[in-house]
């Protein structure tokens, strides 16, 4: 990402900029200026709020109105964004601010002249709020233009490189919070870029190369196992899923360590670069967005980079389980039996339940690092979408307090998640007549949970583990909203970084 972010304490009405963003609350007769908006509001005859009211504004969340300032303030354009009702007490919610800043920047970035130099005069009386504004603004100005051609596209790329974001805040610690936000936004953008890349341009080898490059830049230790090393090492999940593709599988291990760290976290991400379903082929309508099936691996890679950039006082390892799931004469067959790393056997009754196979290899391997916690992240099941929709990811764990900690960490980071159970009785549904376990249950109910139960089979007693199913939230097939664009969203990336931060604090 090429935007630059800074903090300023000057009055937003006198700052030299192309646009100034202010917030308005709903609830009154006219939109009420929020904290930070008063000098800009007062610069307009009768107050900008009454003009906004004439234009039909209410101050509802993410409502965006762009107004020419005609000299009332120094910036030629004022963007008024809705923040919803003013909270009765306490500061405006950070996530409301991120989404408002995101909506404003999406709108400004869509102009022919681009966003330019933007001043964000949204409520930022705390460092947390300043960070939230910066994060939302940066994520809202994201665009993926790799495949666009022509003069228009070139101009757009040049303009977006010129975007500068200035957060107005007098809060102590605002500069640090904005700096952290920039690192997180870069991580989320990396995840989005990898997800949005066409699957022919991001086959397993490409994802492994991307990891190599990032490891070098971010000073991470890296190990890549190719298809030969995988089959020799007994990684039957990756080998079995990858064998139908002309593009062989990879397992990537990244490691970050801090000399004063006392805790270690391990992340395992599902990296199916394209999921056709294999011989259990998906219908066309379910397949066209399966380039996003490597979201989990992308999040792990991006989070590892952010952890290193932030210099967290924690040890972290990240595994990317990377394969392409394709049907062919060499593909695994429904009823084939494979042996996961460590030796457990799986009867593959449905080749479209491939994520759990590659993840099993990664989870078993992650135990060798002896981490205090393993967190896996995967676009694992369509059932996740049935249960929680497109914006809320699921958190399952073999430890209720870990599960609740992660849901809380996600919430504090502005990511929506919900705790889900791992009912023991679902294990019987995965009994195989020939192997240790089958990869799908006979019954379709609770598909997200039985996938979690399958993964749990590969976790040792006494090892703390959580599983994030991000199938829905990782890819936005609908319209953009808040700071979330169409396509790859980066969901879960910030939560992983937050978990590492919390384990750094436990040190
Ligand atoms: N990658 C899919 C899950 C998925 C679905 C992710 C929709 C994102 C959006 C996964 O590999 C899959 O195909 N799961 C199957 C499992 C089934 C065969 C038990 C599913 O959910 O249909
Ligand atoms: Mn699948
Ligand atoms: Zn999949």
């Amino acid at each position: 990402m090429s935007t630059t972010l800074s903090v300023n304490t000057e009055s937003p009405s006198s700052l030299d900029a192309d646009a100034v963003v202010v917030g308005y609350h709903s609830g009154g007769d006219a939109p009420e200026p929020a904290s930070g908006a008063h000098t800009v509001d007062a610069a307009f005859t009768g107050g900008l709020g009454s003009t906004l009211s004439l234009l039909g504004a209410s101050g509802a969340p993410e409502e965006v109105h762009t107004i020419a300032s005609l000299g009332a303030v120094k910036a030629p354009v004022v963007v008024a964004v809705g923040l919803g009702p003013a909270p009765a007490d306490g500061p405006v919610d950070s996530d409301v601010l991120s989404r408002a800043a995101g909506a404003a920047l999406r709108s400004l970035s869509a102009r022919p002249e681009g966003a330019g130099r933007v001043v964000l005069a949204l409520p930022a009386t705390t460092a947390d709020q300043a960070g939230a504004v910066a994060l939302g603004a940066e994520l809202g100005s994201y665009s993926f233009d790799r495949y666009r051609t022509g003069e228009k596209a070139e101009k757009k790329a040049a303009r977006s490189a010129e975007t500068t974001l200035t957060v107005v805040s007098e809060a102590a610690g605002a500069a640090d919070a904005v700096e952290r936000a920039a690192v997180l936004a870069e991580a989320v953008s990396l995840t989005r870029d990898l997800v949005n890349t066409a699957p022919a341009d991001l086959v397993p080898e490409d994802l492994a190369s991307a990891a190599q490059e990032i490891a070098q830049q971010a000073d991470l230790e890296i190990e890549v196992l190719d298809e030969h090393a995988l089959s020799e090492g007994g990684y039957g999940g990756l080998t079995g899923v990858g064998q139908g593709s002309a593009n062989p599988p990879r397992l990537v291990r990244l490691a970050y360590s801090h000399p004063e760290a006392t805790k270690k976290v391990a992340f395992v991400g599902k990296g199916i670069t394209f999921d056709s379903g294999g011989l259990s082929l998906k219908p066309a309508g379910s397949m066209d967005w399966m380039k996003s099936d490597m979201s989990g691996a992308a999040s792990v890679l991006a989070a590892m980079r952010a952890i290193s950039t932030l210099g967290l006082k924690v040890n972290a390892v990240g595994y990317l389980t990377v394969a392409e799931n394709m049907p062919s004469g060499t593909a695994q067959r429904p009823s084939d039996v494979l042996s996961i790393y460590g030796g457990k056997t799986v009867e593959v009754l449905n080749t479209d339940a491939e994520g759990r196979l590659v993840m099993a290899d990664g989870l078993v391997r992650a135990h060798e690092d002896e981490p205090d916690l393993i967190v896996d992240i995967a676009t694992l099941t369509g059932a996740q979408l049935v249960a929680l929709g497109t914006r809320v990811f699921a958190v399952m764990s073999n430890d209720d307090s870990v599960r609740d900690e992660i849901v809380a960490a996600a919430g504090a980071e502005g990511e929506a998640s919900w705790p889900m159970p791992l009912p023991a009785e679902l294990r019987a549904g995965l009994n195989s007549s020939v192997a240790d376990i089958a990869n799908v249950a006979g019954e379709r109910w609770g598909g997200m949970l039985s996938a979690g139960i399958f993964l749990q089979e590969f976790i040792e007693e006494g090892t703390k583990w959580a599983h994030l199913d991000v199938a829905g939230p990782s890819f936005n097939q609908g319209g953009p909203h808040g700071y979330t664009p169409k396509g790859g969203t980066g969901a879960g990336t910030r939560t992983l970084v937050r978990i590492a931060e919390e384990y750094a604090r436990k040190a």
Side-chain angles (χ1 to χ4, degrees):
M1 193 116 78
S2 44
T3 51
T4 52
L5 257 171
S6 61
V7 183
N8 202 304
T9 55
E10 282 165 56
S11 166
S13 49
S14 56
L15 278 168
D16 188 22
D18 297 312
V20 55
V21 178
V22 287
Y24 279 82
H25 289 297
S26 59
D29 292 338
E32 290 282 337
S35 155
H38 290 97
T39 58
V40 173
D41 184 82
F44 288 79
T45 313
L48 181 54
S50 54
T51 297
L52 287 168
S53 176
L54 289 172
L55 295 173
S58 67
E62 292 180 37
E63 181 185 83
V64 175
H65 281 83
T66 307
I67 290 143
S69 76
L70 305 176
V73 296
K74 194 153 181 194
V77 166
V78 175
V79 179
V81 283
L83 299 172
D89 50 43
V92 181
D93 181 69
S94 286
D95 194 42
V96 169
L97 293 173
S98 293
R99 278 183 276 142
L105 261 293
R106 267 197 297 111
S107 165
L108 283 167
S109 305
R111 300 185 306 170
E113 65 273 35
R117 297 163 303 153
V118 182
V119 168
L120 294 135
L122 290 165
T125 47
T126 69
D128 211 49
Q129 287 182 312
V133 169
L135 180 84
E138 183 105 38
L139 290 180
S141 58
Y142 173 87
S143 73
F144 181 74
D145 302 311
R146 171 167 172 176
Y147 298 114
R148 299 206 189 277
T149 66
E151 205 185 327
K152 225 175 118 185
E154 270 165 39
K155 278 195 184 148
K156 193 181 170 211
R159 278 191 315 266
S160 72
E162 286 161 14
T163 302
T164 68
L165 304 171
T166 304
V167 177
V168 180
S169 177
E170 291 180 12
D176 287 347
V178 166
E179 212 169 290
R180 174 184 179 274
V183 174
L184 284 169
E186 266 167 35
V188 173
S189 300
L190 171 61
T191 306
R192 290 176 178 178
D193 281 346
L194 290 169
V195 170
N196 289 332
T197 300
D201 294 328
L202 196 84
V203 301
E205 200 185 344
D206 299 316
L207 185 47
S209 308
Q212 296 266 21
E213 202 171 305
I214 282 159
Q216 200 169 12
Q217 290 161 2
D219 205 14
L220 298 166
E221 196 186 301
I222 184 166
E223 177 191 351
V224 178
L225 301 188
D226 67 9
E227 71 273 29
H228 309 293
L230 289 171
S231 78
E232 262 163 48
Y235 295 87
L238 282 154
T239 303
V241 172
Q243 74 189 37
S245 170
N247 306 298
R250 295 286 184 268
L251 177 68
V252 179
R253 176 183 181 274
L254 299 156
Y256 163 81
S257 56
H258 190 286
E260 290 159 50
T262 59
K263 296 274 184 237
K264 187 190 278 179
V265 290
F267 300 124
V268 183
K270 172 178 172 181
I272 299 298
T273 59
F274 186 72
D275 182 12
S276 71
L279 287 176
S280 312
L281 197 67
K282 284 185 185 295
S286 314
M287 203 192 292
D288 59 10
W289 48 310
M290 281 303 123
K291 67 174 183 180
S292 64
D293 214 19
M294 33 55 70
S295 297
S299 287
V300 169
L301 174 59
M304 290 297 292
R305 182 176 75 178
I307 289 164
S308 173
T309 307
L310 294 169
L312 300 184
K313 215 178 272 184
V314 70
N315 293 329
V317 287
Y319 286 97
L320 321 182
T321 60
V322 194
E324 186 178 43
N325 190 22
M326 296 293 257
S328 78
T330 62
Q332 61 175 345
R333 310 150 189 84
S335 78
D336 270 347
V337 175
L338 48 76
S339 162
I340 300 298
Y341 185 64
K344 266 195 190 132
T345 58
V346 180
E347 184 185 12
V348 181
L349 290 174
N350 187 322
T351 64
D352 197 12
E354 84 298 338
R356 59 195 77 183
L357 302 174
V358 299
M359 291 298 280
D361 274 343
L363 287 169
V364 174
R365 171 67 197 269
H367 285 74
E368 292 178 6
D369 293 292
E370 299 182 349
D372 296 290
L373 172 68
I374 300 177
V375 179
D376 80 62
I377 177 165
T379 46
L380 207 61
T381 65
Q384 186 279 326
L385 280 127
V386 178
L388 293 174
T390 56
R391 296 196 192 179
V392 181
F393 65 79
V395 182
M396 286 151 267
S397 175
N398 59 358
D399 181 309
D400 288 357
S401 66
V402 167
R403 182 196 61 205
D404 295 345
E405 258 172 44
I406 291 180
V407 171
E413 202 48 58
E415 295 208 284
S417 72
W418 203 252
M420 282 289 168
L422 290 170
E425 69 272 16
L426 292 183
R427 175 60 185 82
L430 293 167
N431 284 342
S432 161
S433 49
V434 296
D436 296 338
I437 191 168
N439 78 329
V440 288
E443 184 179 284
R444 75 185 177 96
W445 311 121
M448 169 173 61
L449 314 181
S450 69
I453 290 284
F454 179 93
L455 295 182
Q456 188 173 24
E457 190 78 8
F458 298 90
I459 303 297
E460 273 164 31
E461 277 291 323
T463 300
K464 288 188 179 177
W465 158 76
H467 162 53
L468 316 184
D469 192 337
V470 294
S474 62
F475 195 83
N476 179 19
Q477 287 193 301
H481 57 89
Y483 54 76
T484 305
K486 270 180 89 82
T489 64
T493 307
R494 288 186 281 146
T495 297
L496 297 185
V497 179
R498 185 90 177 199
I499 291 167
E501 285 178 331
E502 290 185 1
Y503 272 71
R505 249 174 263 135
K506 285 185 192 196

